[in-house]
Amino acid sequence: MADVGQVLELAAIDGKTVLTPEQKAALVTSLKNKLEGLVAQHTDVLENLTPKVRKRVDVLRDIQTKHDELEAKFIEERAALEAKYQKLYEPLYSKRYDIVTGVAEVDGITKGGDETLVDQKEKGVPDFWLNAMKNNEVLAEEIRKRDDEALKYLRNIKWCKTDDPQGFKIEFSFYTNPFFKNSVLTKTYHMIDGDEPILEKAVGTEIEWYPGKCLTQKVVEKKPKKGSKDTKPIIKTEDCESFFNFFNPPQVPDNDEEIDEATAEQLQEQMEQDYDIGSTIRDKIIPHAVSWFTGEAQDEDYDSTILEDDLNSSDDDEDDEEDEEGE
């Protein structure tokens, strides 16, 4: 039998999961068990009720059970609906990729004629993903000026689910570039199932930097200490801030390794920040890339504005239809 708590959480949080018949049954059972568990924890409250009030509360519990059954059905249908539309998005993402990379041309643009030499060389939409990410506040904080040249070679970003129900993988595809050998860099988030999704660990691709091109390290020249016999400057390599540190995420120590409270808090903060970056790319940048590229999505209410516009447009259409019928 499936872990009912796990089934409930993965369905509630990850609407793209398609539930099996066993999981569907477990979902209803889980909702009931959660309620019964809460009641068991507060038996003192029930025991202190008068018989009449207790009877009313029992009826309310029956109503709650029916509500939970409907809620389970809602979660199931939402999961199926989101899975359906995720498949419908794919052809749109493919068309976007073709236009951005110059594989396909849009209607109304013809080769030759008044095209300048620059126009002929300029294919697709240059720096599309770089500008889309830099227009997002969360990602802009991670991208340094020295990262720009490497990120201009970014060809596409996409994501997919992993075998872990709540986990996901983000894939960055790059053109051949002078910075690193990898054509694809990935970041995979492994989650722990439970009452709330918990990040277990994140794994990134090891970047194969070309000599002297590593963006996550810098060479520092330091003067020798006063009184030192060696007067030559000391050359050191130090880690530095870069977007590409995203592929070298903070790691959780082994169980045998003890860490103090301050270190643990710092690690938790780093992991939360890392997950925030990953979820921002997955949930905002990838589905709304052109709106981030143009800057339209910088408005905090962007998503809700789109929804309101769609709803208003739908209402207007219905009003028009009613007016036509009235005539």
Side-chain angles (χ1 to χ4, degrees), residues 284-303:
K284 294 186 176 182
I285 301 300
I286 293 176
H288 305 295
V290 71
S291 298
W292 286 104
F293 173 80
T294 61
E296 296 169 274
Q298 286 179 298
D299 182 358
E300 292 181 358
D301 299 324
Y302 174 72
D303 291 335

Side-chain angles (χ1 to χ4, degrees), residues 25-43:
L27 194 55
V28 176
T29 303
S30 177
L31 289 167
K32 292 180 179 179
N33 289 344
K34 281 180 177 289
L35 179 60
E36 291 173 359
L38 290 173
V39 171
Q41 294 173 12
H42 302 286
T43 51

Side-chain angles (χ1 to χ4, degrees), residues 106-142:
V106 300
D107 294 340
I109 297 181
T110 56
K111 295 182 179 180
D114 297 331
E115 274 191 335
T116 64
L117 185 59
V118 174
D119 292 333
Q120 293 173 9
K121 290 183 178 181
E122 191 174 66
K123 294 182 178 181
V125 184
D127 308 338
F128 179 79
W129 290 105
L130 168 62
N131 289 324
M133 291 195 297
K134 290 182 73 172
N135 281 333
N136 177 274
E137 185 177 0
V138 173
L139 301 182
E141 293 181 1
E142 305 301 317

Side-chain angles (χ1 to χ4, degrees), residues 231-244:
T231 58
K232 294 181 179 180
I234 302 172
I235 307 298
K236 286 187 175 182
T237 301
E238 296 181 352
D239 293 337
C240 63
E241 294 181 337
S242 167
F243 172 78
F244 290 92

